[in-house]
Amino acid sequence: MVAQSKIFKGDRVIWVLLLLLSLLSLLIVYSSTGALAYRQAGGNTLYFLVRQLFFIGAGLGLMLVMVNFLSVKIYSIVANLLIYLSIGLLLTTVVLNFAGMLEGSGRTLDLGFISFQPAELAKIALIMYTAKVLAKNQKTKGDLKKAFLKIIIHSVLVCGMIFVSDFSTAALLFAAIFAMMFVGRIPFKYLFLVIGTGIVLVVGIYFLADQFPGAPARVHTVKGRIDRFVFGDPDAEKGITQADYAKLAIYEGGLLGKGPGHSDVSNYMAAAYNDFIFAIIVEEYGLIVSTIVMFLYLVFFFRSVVIVRRATRTFPAFLVTGLSLVLVFQAMINIGVSTGVLPVTGQPLPWVSLGGTSLLFTSVAFGCILSVSYQNQVNRKIEKPAVQVNVPDEDYEMGQEKKNED
């Protein structure tokens, strides 16, 4: 136990949560990728299990390196570099997407030796940059206004480019940044201005999308998803939508589930292993286990709040705030979409859904949080008062000597 505590430094509860979610991920990914294996891996059903095991192992290893060898100060130092690197990568992705040089949804950038979604890097980079700006501008109202301008300019730039191919991720990230500004004491008049602008933007996108057929495809996609959620999906009458399959999986799962590996719906859902993986969890393990899964994310959020409250410096506190909110928001969206509470959109369940490099970026977020928790533990040991030694009071001794003489 002592040897393990020296390696798995930081909040032990979060480490336990990660190990539990890792086990769940391996079980559910293996079960939900059967049809995918026959389409892409020649029927080798172990392919995606081994792949997921590799990336989870690499992610846990990356967290261990971050907690044991990297100081929290490094994240503040590299914040500026990462934000401008992510802007450059996002801009490259947007240009290539409009040029028709990217396949699929246009979110993935292929560099030859590695392919990844720049939005995943941008999420971490923007949160680090926001935490750094807020930490350095807390003294006066002028500092807070300066911080707001810097944050909003970079947030609009980053989220705007992400919006071109992924509305939900852009909205998710901006919501986390907004929460960070609220925690960072940005004046309410600026926050209300952001809220008002956001409402006008969403309403404008919805009502003007049909008036401008040449608008970006993502604009029409957003409007279409809102219409399908509010008025119903015409394809639902045929029973072929992903949302219908998710509801069927939850219905068949019931209270106790059908058992590990006994999912039928996953064979028909295109995103059973990713965006709708929570529905497959309910189908196989039932409402009781799925409720425990939701509880795990709530426990993670609670532990993040504890880490923030114990932080002795502002940058680590803001950093944990932003990263934990992104992860929890992402989990809430995945669960909400799977259960039909939210419009259909693509957000994986953190550390559970099938992933590649996205798992590594998620591990960086967890690694930062664990690094801050470990730094808190170190600071508490340093600040812990030394054992008090009873030193005789000189006046008391003189009084006793005089009393003895008498």
Side-chain angles (χ1 to χ4, degrees):
M1 182 66 69
V2 177
Q4 292 178 352
S5 63
K6 291 182 179 180
I7 299 176
F8 292 91
K9 298 176 180 177
D11 193 285
R12 293 184 180 179
V13 175
I14 294 181
W15 277 115
V16 173
L17 293 177
L18 285 170
L19 294 177
L20 292 175
L21 292 177
S22 298
L23 178 60
L24 174 64
S25 176
L26 295 174
L27 291 173
I28 204 68
V29 164
Y30 177 68
S31 175
S32 61
T33 54
L36 181 66
Y38 279 94
R39 293 196 303 267
Q40 297 185 8
N44 183 6
T45 56
L46 291 176
Y47 173 80
F48 290 101
L49 173 63
V50 174
R51 182 179 182 272
Q52 186 77 350
L53 179 62
F54 170 79
F55 280 104
I56 285 180
L60 292 173
L62 182 57
M63 289 184 222
L64 290 174
V65 171
M66 293 176 67
V67 173
N68 286 278
F69 301 104
L70 298 183
S71 171
V72 177
K73 294 180 180 179
I74 294 178
Y75 308 135
S76 177
I77 295 173
V78 301
N80 286 24
L81 174 63
L82 290 180
I83 189 65
Y84 292 116
L85 174 62
S86 63
I87 289 174
L89 292 173
L90 286 172
L91 182 60
T92 302
T93 305
V94 171
V95 172
L96 293 177
N97 190 24
F98 277 111
M101 300 176 65
L102 294 180
E103 298 179 357
S105 61
R107 306 173 187 175
T108 304
L109 184 63
D110 190 352
L111 300 180
F113 62 95
I114 188 175
S115 61
F116 66 99
Q117 294 185 14
E120 296 294 331
L121 173 63
K123 285 193 297 187
I124 297 174
L126 184 58
I127 289 173
M128 283 186 180
Y129 176 80
T130 301
K132 182 176 181 179
V133 172
L134 287 173
K136 289 188 174 183
N137 296 276
Q138 288 289 310
K139 295 182 179 180
T140 65
K141 292 183 178 180
D143 289 338
L144 293 174
K145 180 180 180 180
K146 181 181 177 182
F148 171 76
L149 292 175
K150 284 185 176 181
I151 293 170
I152 206 66
I153 290 173
H154 286 81
S155 298
V156 170
L157 185 60
V158 170
C159 295
M161 288 190 289
I162 295 176
F163 171 81
V164 174
S165 59
D166 192 348
F167 169 76
S168 61
T169 298
L172 170 69
L173 178 57
F174 195 85
I177 297 301
F178 181 86
M180 291 178 68
M181 290 192 293
F182 174 78
V183 175
R185 302 190 306 116
I186 296 296
F188 283 106
K189 59 181 180 181
Y190 298 136
L191 298 180
F192 286 134
L193 177 63
V194 173
I195 294 175
T197 304
I199 294 175
V200 171
L201 181 62
V202 173
V203 172
I205 289 175
Y206 180 80
F207 287 102
L208 297 178
D210 293 336
Q211 306 299 323
F212 297 95
R218 187 55 50 180
V219 173
H220 298 285
T221 300
V222 172
K223 183 181 185 303
R225 287 179 175 176
I226 295 175
D227 284 339
R228 288 192 293 272
F229 180 73
V230 176
F231 304 108
D233 192 340
D235 292 334
E237 298 178 0
K238 305 175 184 179
I240 59 174
T241 66
Q242 297 293 305
D244 290 329
Y245 285 133
K247 294 175 183 177
L248 178 61
I250 293 174
Y251 172 79
E252 291 189 349
L255 191 63
L256 300 177
K258 300 167 66 175
H262 288 81
S263 171
D264 295 321
V265 178
S266 61
N267 295 322
Y268 307 99
M269 292 181 68
Y273 47 84
N274 196 357
D275 301 340
F276 288 92
I277 198 169
F278 185 78
I280 307 302
I281 294 175
V282 179
E283 182 185 11
E284 294 194 355
Y285 297 96
L287 290 174
I288 295 178
V289 174
S290 60
T291 301
I292 295 175
V293 173
M294 290 188 288
F295 180 72
L296 293 179
Y297 287 103
L298 292 178
V299 172
F300 164 71
F301 179 71
F302 172 76
R303 295 306 303 175
S304 298
V305 172
V306 172
I307 293 171
V308 170
R309 295 189 63 180
R310 290 178 178 176
T312 57
R313 301 184 67 85
T314 52
F315 171 75
F318 290 135
L319 180 63
V320 173
T321 299
L323 293 175
S324 60
L325 285 176
V326 162
L327 293 170
V328 173
F329 286 168
Q330 189 173 322
M332 292 172 59
I333 292 174
N334 183 279
I335 295 171
V337 170
S338 296
T339 55
V341 176
L342 297 176
V344 175
T345 187
Q347 286 297 324
L349 192 61
W351 207 249
V352 175
S353 294
L354 177 68
T357 52
S358 62
L359 273 175
L360 298 182
F361 284 113
T362 302
S363 68
V364 171
F366 280 116
C368 289
I369 295 171
L370 289 168
S371 295
V372 174
S373 67
Y374 174 62
Q375 186 63 52
N376 290 347
Q377 294 172 358
V378 173
N379 292 339
R380 290 179 66 186
K381 290 181 180 179
I382 295 176
E383 296 174 359
K384 186 177 181 180
V387 179
Q388 294 184 354
V389 179
N390 293 326
V391 180
D393 187 283
E394 293 183 359
D395 295 335
Y396 175 80
E397 288 185 348
M398 292 177 62
Q400 288 293 104
E401 292 178 356
K402 185 176 181 181
K403 181 177 180 180
N404 294 333
E405 292 177 357
D406 296 340

